[in-house]
Amino acid sequence: MPLQNLTVLGSTGSIGLSTLDVVRRHPDRYRIVALCAHRQLDRLYAQCLEFRPSHAVVGDAGLAAELATRLAGAGLSTRVAHGPQALVDMATLPEVDAVMAAIVGAAGLPSALAAARAGKKVLLANKEALVMAGPIFMAAVRDSGATLLPIDSEHNAIFQSLPHDYRGDLAASGVHSLLLTASGGPFRCTPLDALAGVTPDEACAHPNWSMGRKISVDSATMMNKGLEVIEAHWLFNVPPAQIEVVIHPQSVIHSLVRYVDGSVLAQLGNPDMRTPIAHALAYPQRIDAGVAPLDLFAVASLHFERPDLQRFPCLALAYRALRAGGSAPAILNAANEIAVQAFLDGAIAFGDIPRVIARALDRLPAGPLHSLDEVLAADGAAREIARQTIAALPA
Ligand code: NAD
Ligand code: MG
């Protein structure tokens, strides 16, 4: 197996840490060429000492100067750059084979798309990129011959449960539909009238997964599952009516594929992102991920329920945006990012999140989506409407 050269975008985040943990176990297989983070300098510095990348990227010039000084002091010749263009540069370096796209939110789109356009093996954790720019992203993958491997656990499970030669044609592969599992998050059983008053820390206390704060809030509203429905639509070329969401609180079955003959194939495992990360890193081989074997006797029983759209209006908003098409998913995503940040900052209540998103979808017509510029224009307009909506909310 030749050594694979990697760029990790978002190396200091939850997915970034899990990625480096898998890489650490296989120094004979993977070499880190570039580590990219935003503001967590101490963590990035420690990662540079351990993995000795050729390049490191941070958010601004001040942090870059500080990191460069510390690395030089430690005797490392790592080149330090900063800003969005540097992320794109790291995603497209000629010596890089594979790019882990694990920046959170819309900020991760340009670099993930650049990796796809450059024909890299793209390990896609940044679901927002596909939600915002699905048709453009998938066309880039097709045109460049890039390999797109989903890191999101549900999509990785579906990828593993589809036929190996699946080429985006459900009928030709005898697939009836996809079943996306969802844990239901921390508020699955919270009385509806108590939901409005939940705090950011309560929303981020996910029962099964340890993740960054934005995706944790998305899991609590189930917007995360809504984004994943849109992600599945683009990844596997499946119409919305053939993507069903199933609440499965144990998070042991990571998703399922229903075939026309009555078979249902699933991928199971402990809820640990190192499994899909190791799967994608080594694909089509298998490597140790450091994940404990699944103990079915400890799991004992699996439970399923239908999502309640009154409790989780964000899930219905995501289906609405997907059906509307064009720029609507980008509008949904942008308004959600603004609303989630406002909730995390204590500026709005949990129950206001879907109100802010619905308002952006109501106010902005879904336009066509042919270029990254159109995506970013829709994103910017939706952020503006979301901010206005928040400012006008009763205190
Ligand atoms: P996180 O908040 O823990 O980490 C985010 C990373 O992005 C950090 O390294 C941060 O430095 C970087 N970043 C943030 N803003 C940036 C910017 N403007 N420019 C450059 N870098 C920036 O998030 P996470 O939980 O690791 O999630 C990352 C992505 O993976 C998200 O899109 C999320 O939806 C997806 N994902 C995460 C999980 C999980 O278990 N954590 C599971 C499935 C999918
Ligand atoms: Mg997921």
Side-chain angles (χ1 to χ4, degrees), residues 127 152-154 224-225 228:
K127 66 191 81 186
D152 215 344
S153 57
E154 296 76 7
N224 183 50
K225 212 49 53 182
E228 290 182 357

Side-chain angles (χ1 to χ4, degrees), residues 322-391:
L322 178 57
R323 290 201 174 92
S327 59
I331 293 165
L332 172 96
N333 179 70
N336 181 57
E337 285 191 24
I338 294 293
V340 169
Q341 192 56 52
F343 168 67
L344 285 171
D345 293 342
I348 65 172
F350 186 75
D352 289 330
I353 295 173
R355 287 191 194 107
V356 172
I357 301 163
R359 181 102 180 112
L361 287 173
D362 290 344
R363 287 273 306 276
L364 290 167
L369 211 59
H370 301 301
S371 67
L372 183 56
D373 284 345
E374 278 175 347
V375 175
L376 297 179
D379 175 272
R383 282 170 199 267
E384 188 50 40
I385 299 270
R387 286 193 195 97
Q388 288 170 11
T389 308
I390 289 168

Side-chain angles (χ1 to χ4, degrees), residues 21-379:
D21 188 72
V22 176
V23 166
R24 180 181 290 128
R25 292 163 195 275
H26 303 280
D28 52 323
R29 281 178 172 261
Y30 306 106
R31 188 171 76 88
I32 301 289
V33 173
L35 290 175
C36 307
H38 197 46
R39 315 217 69 87
Q40 289 178 277
L41 207 66
D42 289 339
R43 190 173 269 181
L44 180 62
Y45 173 69
Q47 291 177 345
C48 288
L49 289 188
E50 181 181 355
F51 292 96
R52 304 191 157 258
S54 312
H55 304 268
V57 173
V58 287
D60 65 48
L63 290 172
E66 189 183 337
L67 181 64
T69 305
R70 287 173 68 179
L71 289 173
L76 261 69
S77 57
T78 309
R79 267 166 283 169
V80 182
H82 64 90
Q85 182 56 42
L87 300 173
V88 169
D89 294 343
M90 296 305 113
T92 55
L93 286 171
E95 68 267 36
V96 163
D97 304 301
V99 175
M100 168 57 77
I103 292 173
V104 60
L109 169 61
S111 50
L113 182 60
R117 285 182 171 152
K120 304 297 187 192
K121 176 169 158 181
V122 184
L123 283 48
L124 188 68
N126 177 239
K127 66 191 81 186
E128 294 91 344
L130 270 186
V131 170
M132 297 170 72
I136 296 165
F137 201 96
M138 296 310 289
V141 169
R142 268 193 308 275
D143 294 349
S144 71
T147 303
L148 180 57
L149 295 166
I151 296 297
D152 215 344
S153 57
E154 296 76 7
H155 307 74
N156 186 271
I158 289 168
F159 182 90
Q160 294 195 48
S161 304
L162 282 169
H164 289 299
D165 59 356
Y166 183 72
R167 288 284 176 273
D169 185 341
L170 285 191
S173 294
V175 175
H176 175 274
S177 54
L178 307 182
L179 296 163
L180 279 183
T181 52
S183 68
F187 305 137
R188 183 175 59 91
C189 303
T190 305
L192 278 181
D193 55 5
L195 267 187
V198 298
T199 67
D201 283 343
E202 286 166 342
C204 289
H206 197 279
N208 307 334
W209 298 96
S210 145
M211 311 181 286
R213 282 172 83 77
K214 191 262 177 182
I215 183 176
S216 295
V217 175
D218 285 348
S219 297
T221 61
M222 278 191 80
M223 179 55 92
N224 183 50
K225 212 49 53 182
L227 299 177
E228 290 182 357
V229 168
I230 301 173
E231 184 185 12
H233 165 75
W234 291 113
L235 277 174
F236 306 116
N237 192 32
V238 179
Q242 280 164 280
I243 307 172
E244 196 179 341
V245 172
V246 183
I247 291 190
H248 162 49
Q250 290 91 355
S251 301
V252 166
I253 299 181
H254 298 306
S255 278
L256 316 90
V257 175
R258 194 193 286 284
Y259 286 83
V260 290
D261 63 2
S263 299
V264 178
L265 300 193
Q267 184 256 0
L268 286 72
N270 287 319
D272 187 322
M273 289 306 292
R274 290 176 301 176
T275 295
I277 290 167
H279 170 267
L281 276 172
Y283 182 79
Q285 299 183 343
R286 298 274 180 175
I287 56 171
D288 172 36
V291 176
L294 177 64
D295 181 350
L296 285 174
F297 301 106
V299 173
S301 67
L302 298 172
H303 177 79
F304 306 97
E305 53 191 65
R306 220 177 273 284
D308 170 357
L309 293 181
Q310 236 179 312
R311 176 180 293 275
F312 298 116
C314 285
L315 184 56
L317 289 171
Y319 271 103
R320 170 181 158 191
L322 178 57
R323 290 201 174 92
S327 59
I331 293 165
L332 172 96
N333 179 70
N336 181 57
E337 285 191 24
I338 294 293
V340 169
Q341 192 56 52
F343 168 67
L344 285 171
D345 293 342
I348 65 172
F350 186 75
D352 289 330
I353 295 173
R355 287 191 194 107
V356 172
I357 301 163
R359 181 102 180 112
L361 287 173
D362 290 344
R363 287 273 306 276
L364 290 167
L369 211 59
H370 301 301
S371 67
L372 183 56
D373 284 345
E374 278 175 347
V375 175
L376 297 179
D379 175 272

